[in-house]
Amino acid sequence: MLVEAEKIWNLKDVIFLGASLDEKATRKNVPEFIRKFSVTFPVWLGAGPDDLAKLGMGEAVPDTAFLDQDGIIFARVRGEIRKAELEERLNWITGDRTAPAPQALVIHLDK
């Protein structure tokens, strides 16, 4: 879903960035994953819990953060994001922002 969204939204100056939290033993599998799913946006290899903490993110995987032009996280979806949630946040940040902001935190994690 993110690969398809990036093809549309990069035309509106939206930048997608992936982060791989794989350990050294599994990191070697990331290039094949990128090829298999035709990921064209940059993927940060070797990110760890400390890196996520510096960004104010938790340890949930997946975790999608939406940053504004100033690099401030304005929304997050912890767990698997739904297409409607992705589109709502991207439409808001690229629009005139007169409508109320989307929900700042959505959680889709099993307890």
Side-chain angles (χ1 to χ4, degrees):
M1 177 180 58
L2 294 177
V3 169
E4 292 305 312
E6 193 265 346
K7 291 176 186 176
I8 296 165
W9 289 96
N10 74 353
L11 300 173
K12 298 179 182 185
D13 295 326
V14 174
I15 298 170
F16 285 66
L17 173 66
S20 172
L21 301 178
D22 291 280
E23 297 174 0
K24 279 188 173 184
T26 58
R27 194 172 303 150
K28 68 183 182 320
N29 301 328
V30 175
E32 177 57 29
F33 178 91
I34 290 170
R35 278 189 295 280
K36 179 179 178 181
F37 292 99
S38 302
V39 176
T40 56
F41 50 83
V43 176
W44 174 15
L45 296 176
D50 290 343
D51 298 309
L52 295 180
K54 289 176 188 174
L55 296 171
M57 299 183 71
E59 294 184 29
V61 176
D63 194 341
T64 306
F66 296 84
L67 288 71
D68 64 16
Q69 293 87 341
D70 297 320
I72 306 297
I73 296 174
F74 71 89
R76 286 183 49 207
V77 177
R78 296 181 68 198
E80 190 172 341
I81 191 168
R82 275 72 166 172
K83 186 174 182 177
E85 295 164 341
L86 176 65
E87 290 177 356
E88 176 187 27
R89 282 147 187 80
L90 293 176
N91 279 316
W92 184 82
I93 195 65
T94 60
D96 63 14
R97 299 190 216 169
T98 56
Q103 185 176 345
L105 178 62
V106 175
I107 301 175
H108 297 298
L109 300 173
D110 294 332
K111 294 184 180 187

